Amino acid sequence: MKIIKNILVGFVVSFLGSIPLGYLNIIGFEIFREFGFSTLLLYLLGVVIIEAVVIYFTLIFANKLANNKKLMKVIDIFGIFFLVLLAYSFYSHSSQTMTNHHYLEKYLVYSPVVIGLFLSSINFLQLPFWTGWNLYLINGKYIIVDKQLKYFYILGTLIGTFSGMLALVFFLNTISQNVDSFAKYVMPIMIPMLFIVMACLQCYKVFRKYIK
């Protein structure tokens, strides 16, 4: 029963956490649209490998990380600039997206797994995300992390991330095929605006947490 509970809790938290649009999901959608399902699966494999390491690390050292306020502050502030950089990157490539559908090919000289590993490893915002969630779940006794039980929780989170990202990519692909304005407005305008909004929310979080 404890094993099933760990898997289900990990799955739900990770699935819901992976649904909001982020750069990993958007790049996954672009890869799927240009290079197909098998390439997308390899990319997602790279993403979840890094996430497994992050979740295990934050699970073991959750209390120490939460108490390291300087590290958390650096990560939170860096997140603001990272989100702004992503907004600029998607906006600057919007013309390429509409006129040259193979602009991603230059990045795929590397294995999709390597791309997933790299992009997931620079997603520093997942560190405070998983630190906070793991502390909450452990303190609330929603999961048991004694001995081997923690690995079942990690398994659930990885299945949740993989499923959530895959579902969102398919959803975006369905919209792109049925809505003519998707490529014209969503990718070049709405996605950069989304990252700007996320950066503003991150600014507010930093203000309330460290300044106010």
Side-chain angles (χ1 to χ4, degrees):
M1 190 65 184
K2 293 179 180 178
I3 292 176
I4 296 176
K5 183 180 180 181
N6 271 17
I7 293 175
L8 289 177
V9 171
F11 176 85
V12 171
V13 171
S14 190
F15 184 87
L16 295 178
S18 65
I19 289 297
L21 283 176
Y23 76 98
L24 292 175
N25 292 325
I26 299 301
I27 293 174
F29 162 68
E30 290 286 335
I31 288 175
F32 174 68
R33 187 172 64 169
E34 301 300 334
F35 304 104
F37 183 67
S38 59
T39 304
L40 172 65
L41 290 181
L42 293 173
Y43 165 76
L44 293 180
L45 176 62
V47 171
V48 298
I49 287 174
I50 294 299
E51 183 165 274
V53 175
V54 171
I55 295 172
Y56 178 80
F57 179 76
T58 55
L59 198 62
I60 301 301
F61 301 103
N63 284 305
K64 291 183 179 179
L65 287 171
N67 291 327
N68 192 334
K69 295 183 179 180
K70 289 184 178 180
L71 176 61
M72 291 295 104
K73 184 176 181 179
V74 169
I75 292 174
D76 284 336
I77 293 175
F78 173 80
I80 299 171
F81 297 100
F82 184 60
L83 291 168
V84 172
L85 179 63
L86 287 174
Y88 172 76
S89 178
F90 275 96
Y91 178 77
S92 64
H93 284 89
S94 61
S95 58
Q96 297 182 48
T97 304
M98 291 183 287
T99 59
N100 180 8
H101 295 291
H102 300 287
Y103 74 98
L104 282 175
E105 287 182 349
K106 61 183 179 180
Y107 299 107
L108 289 181
V109 294
Y110 305 101
S111 167
V113 176
V114 174
I115 295 174
L117 288 169
F118 172 72
L119 293 177
S120 185
S121 65
I122 62 173
N123 181 24
F124 297 106
L125 292 178
Q126 64 183 319
L127 189 60
F129 173 85
W130 282 114
T131 299
W133 266 112
N134 288 340
L135 276 174
Y136 173 77
L137 295 174
I138 292 172
N139 292 335
K141 304 199 181 297
Y142 295 104
I143 59 174
I144 306 297
V145 295
D146 296 338
K147 299 180 180 179
Q148 305 300 319
L149 287 173
K150 60 177 170 290
Y151 297 112
F152 292 99
Y153 166 71
I154 295 173
L155 175 64
T157 61
L158 299 184
I159 296 173
T161 296
F162 192 91
S163 303
M165 292 185 67
L166 198 61
L168 185 58
V169 167
F170 286 155
F171 175 72
L172 292 174
N173 186 62
T174 300
I175 293 177
S176 68
Q177 292 178 347
N178 293 283
V179 181
D180 294 335
S181 61
F182 185 86
K184 186 178 180 180
Y185 297 107
V186 175
M187 293 303 295
I189 299 176
M190 297 302 296
I191 296 302
M193 287 299 299
L194 173 67
F195 285 123
I196 291 297
V197 170
M198 291 172 65
C200 291
L201 292 175
Q202 184 70 9
C203 285
Y204 179 70
K205 174 185 174 182
V206 170
F207 174 77
R208 288 197 61 183
K209 191 174 180 179
Y210 301 109
I211 300 177
K212 186 177 180 180

